Amino acid sequence: MTDLYPPADDRELLRQAAAAHTAATRAVEAFLRRLPTVPDPADVTEYANLLTREDQTRGDRDAAADAAGLTIGSLEPDQGQ
């Protein structure tokens, strides 16, 4: 019997991780669009939670990219050291 849903390969996992990161980034943008002129403590808490989620999904995306063979050293310019 063949599996109707074959396991996802590394590229598919990377696409899923990238989509999750995009969604998290869009949630931050949506929050910033509705942010009042004077944020209250609840706004600060929500923003912190959204940034945490964005950071987590970026880490997941980066790990999936590494697993798919898209490892990069650093995006930081060489400081001459």
Side-chain angles (χ1 to χ4, degrees):
M1 178 175 198
T2 59
D3 188 359
L4 294 177
Y5 301 100
D9 68 5
D10 289 339
R11 294 169 302 144
E12 178 58 26
L13 294 175
L14 175 54
R15 286 188 287 271
Q16 292 171 3
H21 181 254
T22 298
T25 301
R26 286 184 178 151
V28 171
E29 179 188 6
F31 168 80
L32 294 173
R33 288 184 184 279
R34 68 178 186 276
L35 183 66
T37 303
V38 179
D40 64 22
D43 294 320
V44 174
T45 299
E46 182 178 357
Y47 184 60
N49 290 333
L50 289 167
L51 288 183
T52 298
R53 181 69 185 139
E54 185 184 23
D55 287 343
Q56 289 171 341
T57 58
R58 181 177 180 169
D60 294 345
R61 186 203 61 196
D62 291 348
D66 288 346
L70 293 174
T71 303
I72 57 172
S74 174
L75 296 176
E76 299 296 320
D78 184 18
Q79 299 294 323
Q81 298 174 351

